[in-house]
Amino acid sequence: YSPYTHAGGYAYRRGYTEEANRQVLAGIIIESIDAIENVEAIADEPELDFVYIGTYDISVKLGLAGQTRHPAVKEVLRDCVEKVRANGKAAGCLYHCPKELDFFREIGIQLLAYKVDANVLFEGFAFVQKLKDKPVVTL
């Protein structure tokens, strides 16, 4: 908490911290086989609002590095999401395309992150690079 920021209202207010804490989501990212095996206990933590599942990390741990659409990875995701949702928590993960989005929504993932900042920037720069050699039309 800082009374010197916009989030703090630029002033001290009695009860601010309690009010702000009611509005904050708390989550955890699971990225290991140990976490997958204990996802029910993790999701049972009362202070958590969501469990974010690291699909790339899981693919690596399963010996399928980067193969996030592999049936074995999808099965782990389905199982994790089912257990997370059974504990009343939201499940989350990262998607890259409409096909992934459809699958994740189908299995009940509610917290969806689209790509990562570095990927979005990379694709933007790659697009500009493609345009570099094309003539520019001005009106």
Side-chain angles (χ1 to χ4, degrees):
Y1 166 70
S2 172
Y4 306 106
T5 65
H6 177 69
Y10 300 110
Y12 173 76
R13 288 189 340 261
R14 185 179 303 273
Y16 170 80
T17 301
E18 294 79 13
E19 177 189 331
N21 284 342
R22 283 190 297 275
Q23 297 176 25
V24 172
L25 291 175
I28 191 167
I29 300 175
I30 61 170
E31 301 176 323
S32 68
I33 296 299
D34 190 42
I36 292 166
E37 291 171 352
N38 292 288
V39 70
E40 285 177 288
I42 292 168
D44 193 40
E45 171 57 46
E47 297 296 318
L48 288 179
D49 298 300
F50 68 88
V51 177
Y52 183 96
I53 305 158
T55 52
Y56 278 97
D57 299 296
I58 290 171
S59 74
V60 169
K61 304 298 191 239
L62 294 176
L64 302 162
Q67 298 179 53
T68 58
R69 296 183 196 174
H70 190 281
V73 175
K74 286 182 166 184
E75 188 55 37
V76 168
L77 287 172
R78 280 184 208 277
D79 185 56
C80 285
V81 170
E82 183 178 310
K83 291 174 180 173
V84 167
R85 298 285 306 271
N87 275 287
K89 305 299 190 308
C93 74
L94 178 75
Y95 76 97
H96 298 88
C97 66
K99 189 173 184 176
E100 282 181 332
L101 175 62
D102 290 343
F103 169 70
F104 292 150
R105 291 172 80 187
E106 172 192 317
I107 65 172
I109 293 179
Q110 302 144 295
L111 177 71
L112 292 154
Y114 179 65
K115 298 188 179 184
V116 295
D117 54 356
N119 184 246
V120 172
L121 288 170
F122 177 80
E123 288 180 353
F125 290 133
F127 178 74
V128 170
Q129 188 65 31
K130 286 180 186 176
L131 293 178
K132 187 174 106 177
D133 298 327
K134 298 192 187 279
V136 176
V137 177
T138 58
L139 301 175

